Amino acid sequence: MSKKVLIVGGVAGGASAAARLRRLDESAEIIMFERDEYISFANCGLPYYIGEMIKEREKLLVQTPESMKSRFNIDVRINSEVIGIDTFKKVATVRSKVKGIYEESYDYIVLSPGARAIKPTIQGINSARIFTLRNIPDTDQIKAYVDKKGINSAVVIGGGFVGVEMAENLKDRGLEVTLVEAAPHLMAPFDTDMVLSVEKEISDNGVGIILNDGVKAFKDLDKNVEITLNSGTKINADLVILAIGVIPDTVFLKDSGILLGAKGHIVVNEKMETNATNVFAVGDAIEVVDFVNKQNSAIPLAGPANKQGRIAADNIAGLNKSYKGTQGTSIIKVFGLTAASTGNNERTLNRLNIPHKVITIHPASHASYYPGSFAMTLKLIFNEAGKILGAQGVGYAGVDKRIDVIATVIRLGGTVTDLTELELCYAPPFSSAKDPVNMAGYVAENVLAGRVDVITAEELLAYDKGNKLLLDVRTEDEFNNGHLEGAVNIPVDSLRDRVGELDKSKEILEYCQIGLRGYVASRILTQKGFKVKNIDGGYKCASMLNFKPNRVDNSDNTKRQIIDPDTQVVKGEVGKGVNDYDKSLDACGLCCPGPLIQVKASIDQLNEGQILKVTASDPGFYEDIKAWCSKTNNELVDITRNKGMIQALIKKGNKFKVLNNSFQSDIMLKDKKTMVVFSGDLDKALASFIIANGAVAMGKKVTMFFTFWGLNILRKPEKVPVKKDLIGSALGFIMPRGSKKLKLSTMNMMGMGGEMIRRVMKNKNISSLEDLIKLAMDSGVEVVACSMTMDLMGLKQEELIDGIKIGGVGYYLGEAEESNVNLFI
């Protein structure tokens, strides 16, 4: 005897259940009810259609009533809302746009009513300028409104997935966007230390962020809507998107006898069965078991909804399948950034009093020597037994596959040791020989084995600093560019020789940039009898905790301003600022330090107070130009990043305090740079002049002291007739004559390696060594040849390129004494 199955809801879980059941049972009568006009649409793609990343509306429609009928023989009834269920009579009451109200009997019923957007009772919330986004009609309304002429600004209320995606897509449409969140941070699945990178990316792309402040009231004005926040802050916008969460759409089940949870979710067992006979439920409207902590929860995600629909269909067909819980694996694109998570975060584990440990690493997305590698941040959460409880990742490439791998290990009940043993695909364009997932496992194993004692950056803030020593084991240059307040600097490579400077009676809290050198330092000190904690994630994690998003000021109701929270500098107004400049510079295609050198040359041509607009494609320029402005008394008026292109507005002659650099040293050292160039290898010569040009571009006095084989870099390419003794002549013949004859330190391959490197540099628009030498000397870099070594090697001044100064070790030592950086290459 054939079954009659009713499906309530035609999106995600409902559509999956219907299609699966038909594939299992050709004889079943299947009727699907959908209260709206559309079924099986791509609701996760709706923000991207509004933002016009998805151009064609039809692509959002995965299935139509006609296609479901023709392929699966399913009776799809759109504009038909199920308004009640009698589980004793086994009938559903339907309100149809065509048929009116009627009853439909069933043998089985699958409930997939989904969830609806929360719309609280706030004064003015029913304004025609305020929208929610859940379905195709919502999408059509928002897009039509955004398409109108004169719509220039938007406020998004709520910093979850939909809120962040809408903020990005409205910004991409050219609107000025402010994101308002009542909680202390955006994106609840991510812990504070991870979500700060997301907030910075949003802020860097020109979206204002207001945190810890909810909405008190809305008020329609003549041309826009005024939003009053709980703090009293007022913001004006042409439209408002409400994205403050969803609630299960289960009011119609009130008198059905079907058990509901405290927040209205349908309670089901592992078979997706409710307490009512032959009634199943799936999707956003149900309570699920959290796969990690085993507590009942609500996790509205498309992937689990589809799986639940399939399992419900399997059980109706007699296959006896179980749903083992939801991990909450999720991912989001935030402008250029990717953020992903799986399992439980620390906030959830702390709330449930579940003990756990944490490690944070900052690996490269693929082999760092292969072009296009980006750093990512991976956070792994695990217990004393090594079982993985959760993971989070943030970065510009490779995050998705790492979180997917860890999610798989969690699903299979794996441990951190399993991560170390995974054999993952490797080639330089895709990964490293030790994949980031392997590295996370190694670091976690070291913690569990007691090889290192870690403290997180957040724990450090509240840690008792009594009888403690804060130790920075990075290089002196890194330390001087920013460090934790009160830290002492001993580079890890000098630590063994300088260990006597440390007090064994004090606990040492040490850190490096990302954690790796910190681990090495910890092992050195621990084995020498010191009590040591390594700051997890290093300075990168600790300094990020100081990030504050740009402040939004809209109080005069006429303009919206984004204001830097540290400097109080106005970062831009709606439709203003980006075209207000005196000179433009296109530095696209140039690699570091090329953009900075060009910026310095252009700024030198401006008068104080004039503005330079510079566009660059070098990813490092975004942070480099902030540091450059800070060091050179110029003001960074505005900086934006769009699809790999960076645009900065720089005003000449004013001071600018770099964002996120509150840990700068209060001691200003003598600001000269000296460099001893001993090597005559092409790659090392390139590095020397790249560093020198970068330093002089930042206004530093640079002295380069060339000795021994480094003198060959300075030789003229042509033979110069000078009188020499036999040994001098022989050495002159053997040694390379000038920069074009230098070999590579490795992979020289009888000169082919050097030619290959020069060809690659030319193709990538990187300045040649000869251009770098000329640029350095033209920019004021003092190039000094060691007189003693010249005499020893039989070189004469006439053989060196023009402009070289001859000096001895005394001259060099005098310059080094006045420097805060001295490099030996």
Side-chain angles (χ1 to χ4, degrees), residues 162-291:
V162 173
V164 169
E165 288 170 348
M166 280 305 304
E168 175 184 351
N169 281 280
L170 291 173
K171 183 66 179 177
D172 285 346
R173 286 295 305 272
L175 275 64
E176 291 296 338
V177 182
T178 301
L179 189 55
V180 177
E181 170 58 55
H185 290 285
L186 306 177
M187 304 295 299
F190 296 88
D191 289 314
T192 299
D193 53 350
M194 298 295 288
V195 81
L196 286 168
S197 296
V198 176
E199 292 172 356
K200 185 176 187 300
E201 180 74 9
I202 294 170
S203 185
D204 286 346
N205 279 277
V207 174
I209 302 176
I210 298 176
L211 300 172
N212 232 4
D213 207 353
V215 177
K216 184 177 181 180
F218 299 100
K219 181 181 178 181
D220 264 326
L221 303 177
D222 289 342
K223 295 183 178 179
N224 52 30
V225 61
E226 178 185 80
I227 305 105
T228 302
L229 304 183
N230 291 330
S231 64
T233 300
K234 294 182 186 295
I235 317 169
N236 289 69
D238 296 325
L239 81 152
V240 175
I241 304 293
L242 279 182
I244 55 180
V246 296
I247 55 174
D249 207 349
T250 56
V251 174
F252 73 102
L253 299 175
K254 181 180 177 183
D255 299 319
S256 67
I258 294 172
L259 184 62
L260 302 179
K263 296 183 178 180
H265 295 87
I266 304 168
V267 177
V268 297
N269 63 16
E270 72 279 3
K271 307 294 183 185
M272 312 314 300
E273 297 169 319
T274 70
N275 63 308
T277 304
N278 290 356
V279 179
F280 295 76
V282 301
D284 294 357
I286 71 168
E287 273 190 6
V288 296
V289 173
D290 186 296
F291 183 82

Side-chain angles (χ1 to χ4, degrees), residues 12 42 82 127 180 206 231 447 450 457 483 542 547 553 587 646 674 716 764 800:
V82 175
S127 165
V180 177
S231 64
V447 170
H483 57 265
F547 170 72
D553 185 358
I646 299 159
T674 55
K716 292 177 179 176
K764 292 186 176 292
L800 303 183

Side-chain angles (χ1 to χ4, degrees), residues 702-815:
V702 181
T703 298
M704 301 180 74
F705 192 76
F706 289 78
T707 185
F708 282 93
W709 316 118
L711 289 169
N712 295 319
I713 302 168
L714 307 181
R715 290 183 71 185
K716 292 177 179 176
E718 67 275 8
K719 186 175 182 180
V720 178
V722 290
K723 188 174 181 180
K724 295 185 179 184
D725 59 25
L726 181 62
I727 296 177
S729 297
L731 285 171
F733 176 77
I734 295 170
M735 293 187 299
R737 185 179 289 120
S739 58
K740 290 187 177 180
K741 299 292 186 180
L742 302 180
K743 65 178 182 63
L744 281 179
S745 58
T746 58
M747 295 197 318
N748 189 50
M749 299 182 291
M750 300 179 67
M752 289 188 293
E755 289 298 321
M756 180 176 66
I757 289 297
R758 286 179 178 271
R759 194 178 307 118
V760 170
M761 290 170 63
K762 183 177 180 180
N763 291 339
K764 292 186 176 292
N765 202 22
I766 299 173
S767 299
S768 68
L769 175 56
E770 294 71 41
D771 290 340
L772 289 170
I773 293 171
K774 184 178 185 304
L775 181 61
M777 296 180 70
D778 289 346
S779 300
V781 173
E782 191 173 57
V783 181
V784 182
C786 175
S787 56
M788 181 275 292
T789 313
M790 287 180 64
D791 188 46
L792 181 67
M793 301 179 72
L795 283 175
K796 306 294 184 182
Q797 185 167 0
E798 298 93 319
E799 295 181 85
L800 303 183
I801 57 179
D802 295 336
I804 304 299
K805 180 182 286 189
I806 308 299
V809 68
Y811 180 82
Y812 156 70
L813 290 174
E815 292 295 300

